Amino acid sequence: MDTSPIQHFRSDRMPHSLSRRTVLRGLGTAVALPLLDVMSPSRLLSAASPNQSAPLRMGFFYVPNGMHMPDWTPKKDGFKFDLPPTLAKLADHQDSINILSGLTLDGARAHGDGGGDHARSVAAFLTGSHPRKTNGADIQNGISIDQMTAKYVGDRTRFASLELGLEASAQAGNCDSGYSCAYASNMSWRGPTNPMSKEVDPGSLFDRLFAGQAVKETRQARSVREKYRKSILDFVLEDANQLHKTLPAVDQRKLDEYLYSVRDVEKRVGGAEKLRLNEDGVPDYPRPSGVPKELSKHAELMMDMVTLAYQTDSTRILSFMFTNAGSNRSYPEIGVSEGHHELSHHGKSEHKQEHIAKINRYHIERFAYLLDRMKRTPEGNGSLLDNCMLVYGSGISDGDRHNHDDLPILMAGAAGNRIKTGRHLKYKNGTPLCNLYVWMMQQMGAKADQFGDSSGVLDQLV
């Protein structure tokens, strides 16, 4: 296990090899580096395992209210299946994904507790547990897969895990038929009574990843940067230039592309802080400071920083909620004025099902944007996406039925050549989703043979 401290690049040393923990430093600022060839020279000597020195990452991406399943499920199993309408935007990534049909989330079922499927589906999605029905302080759930895995590998990175989303978490209140809002708005749980709140502000996340790295940004540094409107990168420019001179050409290109990405995200985050005002001079949309009004722009900024967080090895474990459970957000940007939750109770209405499918495609497009970014980010002899295993889906299948079997589950990334991708894998209906999580934990190096309601380790992935 690599527990070495963060190291400052020293320009007086030619980096025949460079620590993975090396950072560029400036006034109160430290910026992590992407994986460079000089950080792992042994990889250049072994073509048999091209990504052996690249870290493996896991991520979980949740969408609410189930799915229009006829537009989600491929008609053919195995390789070379036709992408159904909802997944059509993933055409460029079909060889990097698997669709997993038949997986079930038993913890989200009522088990005598009556209504509340939306809150239960989120609370159970990563825990595999059945949450106690309460809207008081006596919440009770299980530890989630991301936090369980972080116990084994979280100390290898600056952040053991990141919990992100597009809608803020709540820790109290009645959100779904007697279930606490803590269940409905958090899918990551550090312990049975400890939900992990999401970061939804792109600016705050950027500061966590860069301005506060290694050392907290000092008041002087923040004051200088704000006064002269300087970039984070302006303070580490001298370090960056010195390092650039000592790198081989392939690493120079990687460094240039990475620093360009950081500066681009920083500029867009700065632009997002400018609230649009209506004719009365007040904000026309209630949102946390720094969050763009347009959901698509908000999502893109967050996905850019997911990429940077993985690329710099700031974390290897991440969860992301597009919206909270039972979200009734409308999507006027795609011509859907009705609320999402309302539409999910479609009663077989063709109009409502058509609009649900539109929302499903909209969410997938945001995920496709992330896969685009990660696939274009080189790492080792492949891409960043090659060294990830990302789970996308929902704890509800058909929103009208509120069923929790045959869930819409997609897995992206080759997990460092551990997965055969490009397939539709159809499992026996009722197979625990937690079987997948046991497999993922094992790939991350965790000593686990059981999690939640697992009945074994999911097969067919390799």
Side-chain angles (χ1 to χ4, degrees):
M1 180 182 298
D2 180 10
T3 57
S4 58
I6 291 176
Q7 300 180 24
H8 175 212
F9 165 67
R10 290 182 55 180
S11 59
D12 60 331
R13 294 181 181 176
M14 178 71 75
H16 297 296
S17 65
L18 198 66
S19 167
R20 187 69 180 90
R21 297 296 186 97
T22 302
V23 298
L24 303 176
R25 284 188 178 171
L27 179 62
T29 301
V31 174
L33 293 170
L35 181 63
L36 302 173
D37 282 352
V38 293
M39 292 176 176
S40 48
S42 61
R43 183 182 63 253
L44 302 178
L45 304 177
S46 177
S49 301
N51 291 312
Q52 63 178 5
S53 57
L56 178 61
R57 294 85 160 187
M58 61 162 39
F60 304 91
F61 296 78
Y62 191 91
V63 289
N65 302 323
M67 202 74 62
H68 183 54
M69 294 304 291
D71 280 4
W72 169 274
T73 308
K75 291 182 170 58
K76 178 185 174 184
D77 301 345
F79 291 99
K80 298 182 179 179
F81 60 89
D82 292 330
L83 286 171
T86 294
L87 304 178
K89 290 294 183 179
L90 296 176
D92 290 342
H93 304 290
Q94 185 166 351
D95 60 351
S96 299
I97 64 173
N98 285 323
I99 311 301
L100 313 180
S101 294
L103 301 185
T104 296
L105 188 60
D106 184 66
R109 290 169 168 156
H111 293 299
D113 282 342
D117 289 271
H118 291 280
R120 280 196 303 263
S121 70
V122 170
F125 190 68
L126 295 187
T127 66
S129 298
H130 181 80
R132 173 190 289 164
K133 190 167 190 177
T134 178
N135 57 23
D138 56 336
I139 57 174
Q140 185 80 22
N141 197 11
I143 185 172
S144 54
I145 173 67
D146 58 324
Q147 297 306 306
M148 180 67 78
T149 309
K151 289 184 175 182
Y152 291 91
V153 301
D155 61 348
R156 301 178 188 180
T157 55
R158 288 193 301 117
F159 302 105
S161 64
L162 288 175
E163 297 73 45
L164 310 175
L166 303 180
E167 192 171 312
S169 293
Q171 306 303 345
N174 183 355
C175 274
D176 187 8
S177 303
Y179 278 98
S180 170
C181 295
Y183 297 128
S185 62
N186 301 285
M187 69 172 180
S188 180
W189 289 70
R190 183 166 52 85
T193 61
N194 305 110
M196 304 283 285
S197 294
K198 306 185 296 294
E199 178 62 75
V200 302
D201 187 327
S204 296
L205 178 56
F206 186 91
D207 287 343
R208 285 178 68 186
L209 291 177
F210 297 104
Q213 184 174 303
V215 290
K216 292 185 178 180
E217 187 176 25
T218 63
R219 288 186 180 180
Q220 178 189 6
R222 183 176 293 276
S223 175
V224 170
R225 188 160 63 87
E226 290 178 351
K227 180 178 180 180
Y228 297 103
R229 297 185 179 182
K230 285 194 170 186
S231 162
I232 288 284
L233 299 183
D234 290 333
F235 290 103
V236 299
L237 190 60
E238 182 178 353
D239 252 13
N241 288 338
Q242 289 295 331
L243 175 61
H244 191 278
K245 294 176 183 177
T246 68
L247 294 175
V250 62
D251 279 343
Q252 288 180 345
R253 289 193 297 272
K254 287 182 182 179
L255 181 62
D256 289 342
E257 291 170 0
Y258 166 67
L259 295 178
Y260 175 84
S261 296
V262 172
R263 191 180 294 272
D264 179 62
V265 171
E266 185 180 34
K267 288 179 180 178
R268 289 159 55 213
V269 167
E273 294 174 354
K274 300 175 182 177
L275 298 179
R276 294 188 176 184
L277 306 181
N278 61 23
E279 58 185 11
D280 296 322
V282 297
D284 63 359
Y285 190 82
R287 63 192 184 280
S289 175
V291 175
K293 176 180 178 179
E294 298 85 355
L295 184 64
S296 59
K297 291 183 179 179
H298 185 190
E300 287 177 3
L301 274 175
M302 296 298 282
M303 296 306 184
D304 285 341
M305 281 182 284
V306 167
T307 304
L308 291 173
Y310 279 148
Q311 183 183 8
T312 56
D313 203 25
S314 295
T315 191
R316 298 177 187 176
I317 303 171
L318 185 147
S319 62
F320 191 102
M321 288 181 66
F322 279 77
T323 64
N324 294 337
S327 168
N328 206 36
R329 171 192 283 271
S330 61
Y331 292 80
E333 57 266 53
I334 56 173
V336 178
S337 58
E338 305 100 320
H340 188 185
H341 181 215
E342 173 192 346
L343 287 168
S344 71
H345 294 274
H346 53 75
K348 298 186 178 180
S349 161
E350 291 186 8
H351 167 79
K352 289 186 176 181
Q353 291 183 80
E354 177 186 341
H355 279 205
I356 278 288
K358 279 187 177 183
I359 295 173
N360 297 161
R361 291 194 295 271
Y362 180 83
H363 287 153
I364 273 289
E365 287 175 13
R366 314 282 75 81
F367 188 62
Y369 175 89
L370 172 65
L371 301 189
D372 287 340
R373 287 295 312 271
M374 296 180 74
K375 204 167 195 175
R376 294 199 308 267
T377 300
E379 188 172 74
N381 290 344
S383 72
L384 179 61
L385 181 59
D386 292 330
N387 297 308
C388 290
M389 46 183 178
L390 310 178
V391 175
Y392 175 100
S394 183
I396 294 177
S397 184
D398 176 17
D400 196 49
R401 294 172 54 208
H402 279 177
N403 63 309
H404 308 285
D405 63 320
D406 194 19
L407 294 173
I409 301 294
L410 178 155
M411 199 168 184
N417 296 326
R418 295 171 177 85
I419 300 176
K420 291 181 181 178
T421 52
R423 298 176 294 165
H424 174 212
L425 300 175
K426 192 170 184 178
Y427 297 93
K428 180 181 178 182
N429 196 25
T431 300
L433 175 62
C434 288
N435 286 7
L436 169 63
Y437 296 161
V438 173
W439 185 88
M440 294 177 70
M441 289 177 68
Q442 292 178 353
Q443 307 315 304
M444 293 292 292
K447 297 178 180 179
D449 55 15
Q450 200 279 331
F451 181 80
D453 66 342
S454 67
S455 60
V457 180
L458 198 67
D459 60 2
Q460 301 185 53
L461 292 173
V462 297

